[in-house]
Structure formats: C-alpha cells, structure tokens
Amino acid sequence: MANKCEFRELPDLSLARNRTQSFSFNYDGVTYPESLVRYLKGKTYFIHTYGCQANYRDEEVMAGMFENMGMKRASEVGLADVVVLNTCAVRENAEQKVFGMIGELKKYKITDNSRLFCVCGCMVQQEHIIKLITEKYRHIDLIFGTHNITKLPQMLDEVVRKRIRLVDVESAPKEIDENLPSKRLSSFKAFINISYGCDKFCTYCIVPYTRGKERSRLMKDILAEAQELKDLGYQEVTLLGQNVNAYGKDLKDGSTFAKLLEEVAKIGIPRVRFLTSHPWDFTQEIVDVIAKYDNIMKYIHLPVQSGSSEILRLMGRRYDAKKYLELVDMIRAKIPDVALSTDIIVGFPNETYEQFLETVELCKKVQYDSAFTFIYSPRNGTPAAKIKDNVSNKDKLLRFRELVKALEEIIIPKSNAMVGQTYKVLVEGTSEKNAEMLSGYTEKNKLVHFKGDKNLIGKIVNVKILESHTYSLIGELVNE
Ligand code: 5AD
Ligand code: SF4
C-alpha cells in the first residue's frame, strides 16, 4: 500500500504570476541531515532530465548534493536507489514523455519498495499535475518544485524518516541561492546561470509561471564561477538565462549583459556562448562586445516565433517583423559572418495561412543557419490557452512540414558551402551512430563527425569538411 501523502505547499499559478517580491542572496549553500546521509551513503541515484539547459544545470546541482552525501550515479534508471525525474512543461509532448516514465517506474517499486522516486521541475509547478500524480501514481514519494531544490536533502529525510509521500512546491522564488554543490555533466563545457525566471509573459508560454520572476545573479558571483571553470581547464562556457540580454536590470547596480559578457570574455575561456536572447533587449552595446572578442562565438540564438506582425502582437512579443529584421541588419552590419538561429511556433490560435506564409518569408529574408520549430501547444493558465482556435491540427501539421522544408532549403546550401573549408571543432565524444567516429561542434554550432583518437575528446581541433548532410557534416582531422 502507498504511504500517506503530506501536502506541505501547493503551487498556484495566480501566485506565480506575482512580480512584486524582492529578493535576498543566500550564501549558506546546502545542508545535509545526518540521518539521511547515514541512510543514503553508498546508495545510487539517477536523474532523468527533460527540457532546456536550465533543467540540466539543476540536474548538476542535485547530482552535487547526492555525491556530497556519499552516493554514486547509477548506470541506468532501473538500478538506482533514488530516481529524480526533472521535468519540462513548455509543451504537452514533453509532459507526455514524463508520464510515460512515471508509469515505467512503478514496476521497480514492486520489486524493491525501498526505492525513492521524486518528480521535480517545471511540470510540477502546475496544480493539476500534482493532483494527477498524487492520485494516480502513488509510487512517487516526493514532489518538489523549481524554487526549493536546495531543500532536497531535508525533504528526502522527512520522506524516509516518517515513511510518507511529500508534496512541497513553492509558487514563487524567495531568494537567489549561491555556493551550490555541483557535479558537472562535462569536464570541458559548462553552463553558468546568469539569471533565473522570466518577466516577458509571452501569451503562449508557461515559463514565467514555472520559473518565476526574472532575477539576476550578482556579477561577482558569475565571474567567480567562470574563473573557476577556466582554472579547471574548461574550453567552453554558455551563459544561461531565459532572457540573457535583460541581465542586470533588476539589480539596479549598473550591471548589464554587455558588461557581463565582456568581463567573462576577458577571463579567457576559449569559447563563450550565451542563451537565450530576446530581440527586445538586444542592444548595440551587446553586439559591439560580441564583435570585439574572438572568444565570443559569432552565433546568436534569436527566437522570432512568427513572421507575422499581427501574430507577434497576439503573442505579446513586443516587436513586429520589421523591428526584428532591423535588429538582424544591425547585428550583421557589425558582424557580417554571424550565424543566426531561431525558434518558431506554427499554428498559434487562429493563425491564417497567409500569416504562416509571412513566417516562411521572414526565414528566407534572415537566412537562418539553424532553426527549432514547434507546433503551438496550449498551456493551462496562459492567456493564449483561453483563445478559441479555428485552425485544425491537420492544417497545423501541414504548415509545420512546409516550414521545415522551407528551412531546409535555406540551411542545406549553407552547409554545402562549408565543404572544403577547415573549421575549429570542440570534440564532444564518440559519435552516437559509429563508435569509431568523433563528434563535435564548430564555433557556429554545426555538428561535425570525423575519425580520430579518443584522447582528442575535450580539445579544440581543426577539421576539414568533406561532406554535408542535412543536420550534420563529415570531415577529416587536419594536423597542424
Ligand atoms: N507551444 C509551442 N512552443 C512553445 N514554446 C514555448 N511555449 C510554447 C508553446 N506553448 C517554444 C518557443 C520557445 C521555445 C523554448 O519553446 O518557441 O522559444
Ligand atoms: Fe517564455 Fe517569452 Fe519568457 Fe521566452 S521570453 S521564456 S518564450 S515568456
């Protein structure tokens, strides 16, 4: 029989919308109850992360806590004593995958009832999800949110000691936590959070509710983390935020993204990247800093979402197609060889075919180097989810396919033009499909496979491109 469920705090989207709270910085780090450390020592953990880089960074923090308690990572979910599903809520299909996995876990509980199963992340910031999991999936022991990760040891301790199931999901963040433990997923490329949350409230998006108010870390803390990574020999860092170019606005101490980016570049890590840029806050000053430093990659992810100004207005994006194109011109005027990528949503409620064609047109004008395309997915509690939609799913799928094809026609010739040229590639590992091949990314984020020795993993090497395929390139190592 499942244990009794205790509801400590439940998420509430109307509270999550609140933007009036002020923040303090907490440098206390994480503490570990002795009883839990005794119980978990020598046991194994497995974290399954869905969604964006912010979630992967959270995985590293949680892995750091488990390792600090004397645990080791299990090689697969079925072997782990503690499993954490770190979830994403941005589209419905992400949630469906998680529910598939939650269902899978049940069989492991039947064979060993002492296993502990936790669900955290964006998905459980929604009340209806809590209801579903606690009622239908009673083998889940702990549900916690995005704002109380650092209390994971205390929550787990309670679950173990009291033999209860526990739900503790705060609706809004209270502080910015520093001095967090971290077991990084890579020893040569790393993510650094520069800000949390988002205040843009695009009408289709759940993130401002699940990740809370936009709040920046102090520049000194970010720079200390970057310096530490440089000292450890890291080859690449990516500065992370839902909206990196709004960095610093909330601090009111003169910090800006341009200044931060420049200071990080000066530390001298070979590759500096940043994710994600919103067209609204992208200043000339930022462009100038990107142009000035060779170690800032000339690759910008600049989501447009739609090429129709009317749809952009309904999305609450704060720019129209003309403004977006002017920004692209401003960036290209200073950095002519910049690579641009984007996110596009097809089938926003009541989008007409003509409005969809405006998106295709915009893509042709911008000549993107890569693009992530999504079919609109209504998210409970967002303004767009209340709009009655007259576009059928079939039409949305047809438009989606038409857009993917149009994008391929833009991107393939660009990849073809790379054949014969030599590029710097940061070697990530062996290729997923062929263990004899290595894989890595160029400065402008193109995936390249080539033959080489495994001891090159984690190094930046020169690769001459021999063949181009739709989503990757084949090359050969060039010896200096
Ligand atoms: N439906 C489809 N795509 C979405 N995105 C965000 N919310 C939704 C939604 N409700 C996409 C946006 C964003 C990317 C991370 O996910 O394109 O940039
Ligand atoms: Fe969502 Fe818009 Fe914020 Fe991006 S900028 S996280 S799409 S609300």
Side-chain angles (χ1 to χ4, degrees):
M1 210 184 76
N3 291 332
K4 182 174 141 273
C5 189
E6 213 172 288
F7 295 90
R8 180 73 29 85
E9 204 169 330
L10 285 172
D12 177 335
L13 282 191
S14 57
L15 285 178
R17 207 174 281 134
N18 175 14
R19 288 299 184 264
T20 55
Q21 32 339 21
S22 59
F23 290 94
S24 54
F25 292 86
N26 175 9
Y27 288 87
D28 295 344
V30 174
T31 54
Y32 305 95
E34 259 178 48
S35 48
L36 183 71
V37 175
R38 239 179 289 121
Y39 181 77
L40 290 179
K41 202 171 160 60
K43 289 192 163 62
T44 57
Y45 69 91
F46 190 92
I47 304 170
H48 195 112
T49 295
Y50 301 80
C52 69
Q53 286 80 4
N55 271 11
Y56 283 91
R57 186 71 195 107
D58 285 346
E59 166 172 345
E60 294 179 337
V61 172
M62 290 188 276
M65 293 183 209
F66 288 132
E67 303 263 338
N68 282 352
M69 290 191 283
M71 299 177 77
K72 287 265 166 297
R73 187 187 291 272
S75 57
E76 53 182 286
V77 68
L79 299 175
D81 297 302
V82 179
V83 176
V84 179
L85 303 185
N86 184 18
T87 66
C88 169
V90 83
R91 281 173 294 277
E92 197 190 346
N93 55 5
E95 296 189 341
Q96 279 163 353
K97 276 190 213 154
V98 174
F99 275 115
M101 190 63 184
I102 293 179
E104 283 266 303
L105 289 180
K106 190 166 182 183
K107 64 173 186 268
Y108 301 120
K109 194 83 165 188
I110 293 168
T111 50
D112 180 357
N113 193 33
S114 71
R115 287 186 178 164
L116 292 169
F117 296 152
C118 316
V119 183
C120 69
C122 286
M123 203 170 132
V124 296
Q125 293 293 135
Q126 310 169 92
E127 200 168 345
H128 69 282
I129 299 281
I130 304 283
K131 190 166 157 30
L132 199 62
I133 299 178
T134 52
E135 287 176 6
K136 286 224 171 107
Y137 300 92
R138 295 158 73 95
H139 55 289
I140 299 301
D141 301 284
L142 172 62
I143 299 176
F144 60 100
T146 56
H147 304 309
N148 59 348
I149 287 181
T150 56
K151 295 288 171 306
L152 174 56
Q154 281 67 29
M155 294 183 280
L156 261 185
D157 186 48
E158 235 185 299
V159 167
V160 172
R161 273 190 300 106
K162 296 192 192 161
R163 294 169 190 264
I164 53 168
R165 291 184 286 146
L166 179 63
V167 178
D168 194 351
V169 181
E170 293 168 7
S171 296
K174 294 195 181 78
E175 48 198 13
I176 292 188
D177 293 301
E178 293 293 345
N179 292 330
L180 296 177
S182 180
K183 165 87 177 157
R184 300 235 177 223
L185 291 161
S186 160
S187 58
F188 50 87
K189 59 184 256 183
F191 296 118
I192 303 179
N193 285 319
I194 65 165
S195 61
Y196 303 99
C198 179
D199 285 352
K200 288 285 183 286
F201 286 99
C202 301
T203 58
Y204 51 82
C205 186
I206 194 74
V207 170
Y209 308 85
T210 63
R211 288 271 168 189
K213 186 179 156 90
E214 192 164 83
R215 51 218 191 273
S216 305
R217 289 177 71 197
L218 292 177
M219 204 139 129
K220 71 173 176 60
D221 294 324
I222 298 166
L223 294 177
E225 188 173 337
Q227 184 63 54
E228 190 186 323
L229 291 164
K230 156 87 175 151
D231 296 344
L232 287 167
Y234 274 75
Q235 299 294 303
E236 177 176 304
V237 294
T238 302
L239 306 181
L240 271 191
Q242 297 299 338
N243 230 319
V244 286
N245 24 26
Y247 170 79
K249 286 187 170 180
D250 54 319
L251 292 173
K252 300 190 174 63
D253 66 351
S255 302
T256 63
F257 182 58
K259 281 186 193 159
L260 174 72
L261 188 59
E262 177 151 32
E263 290 310 311
V264 172
K266 281 189 200 158
I267 288 174
I269 296 163
R271 290 182 170 195
V272 177
R273 299 185 185 277
F274 51 90
L275 261 181
T276 294
S277 304
H278 190 295
W280 173 257
D281 298 301
F282 216 106
T283 59
Q284 180 72 54
E285 216 188 339
I286 297 173
V287 180
D288 293 347
V289 171
I290 300 168
K292 186 170 162 194
Y293 291 88
D294 283 345
N295 64 336
I296 302 180
M297 298 298 97
K298 307 297 179 262
Y299 168 89
I300 302 173
H301 184 56
L302 196 65
V304 68
Q305 312 297 1
S306 169
S308 151
S309 295
E310 176 56 15
I311 295 290
L312 287 169
R313 191 181 65 76
L314 295 171
M315 286 177 161
R317 288 291 289 179
R318 309 172 187 215
Y319 56 85
D320 57 15
K322 186 165 164 276
K323 274 245 170 64
Y324 183 90
L325 290 169
E326 282 168 8
L327 174 60
V328 168
D329 286 346
M330 187 257 265
I331 296 171
R332 289 224 165 104
K334 186 80 189 185
I335 316 167
D337 61 338
V338 72
L340 294 175
S341 73
T342 195
D343 290 344
I344 298 170
I345 298 176
V346 171
F348 187 81
N350 305 324
E351 177 194 62
T352 64
Y353 185 64
E354 287 67 32
Q355 287 169 331
F356 163 74
L357 286 180
E358 289 181 64
T359 300
V360 176
E361 260 326 290
L362 181 134
C363 291
K364 287 184 185 161
K365 280 192 189 138
V366 176
Q367 289 288 305
Y368 288 111
D369 293 81
S370 67
F372 301 90
T373 45
F374 310 104
I375 294 180
Y376 168 75
S377 168
R379 302 286 69 210
N380 241 323
T382 61
K386 297 189 186 81
I387 306 173
K388 196 167 175 307
D389 191 0
N390 64 15
V391 188
S392 71
N393 288 341
K394 186 171 159 247
D395 280 344
K396 292 189 185 201
L397 189 61
L398 286 174
R399 285 178 204 175
F400 178 79
R401 288 189 186 139
E402 189 175 335
L403 178 65
V404 169
K405 196 160 160 279
L407 284 163
E408 282 177 1
E409 281 167 16
I410 296 164
I411 293 163
I412 292 172
K414 288 192 163 207
S415 300
N416 290 346
M418 292 173 73
V419 174
Q421 316 258 20
T422 298
Y423 296 88
K424 283 189 178 140
V425 171
L426 172 54
V427 188
E428 304 246 320
T430 51
S431 156
E432 277 176 21
K433 287 189 191 139
N434 180 351
E436 281 179 20
M437 299 285 271
L438 297 174
S439 301
Y441 287 89
T442 65
E443 297 198 332
K444 291 180 189 160
N445 232 13
K446 286 278 179 189
L447 177 61
V448 184
H449 306 291
F450 59 98
K451 274 212 174 95
D453 196 281
K454 282 198 183 109
N455 67 18
L456 294 177
I457 293 171
K459 299 205 169 78
I460 294 172
V461 296
N462 286 317
V463 178
K464 184 175 173 187
I465 305 303
L466 302 174
E467 282 172 44
S468 108
H469 298 274
T470 312
Y471 297 103
S472 64
L473 302 155
I474 308 288
E476 67 180 4
L477 201 60
V478 177
N479 292 317
E480 274 104 290

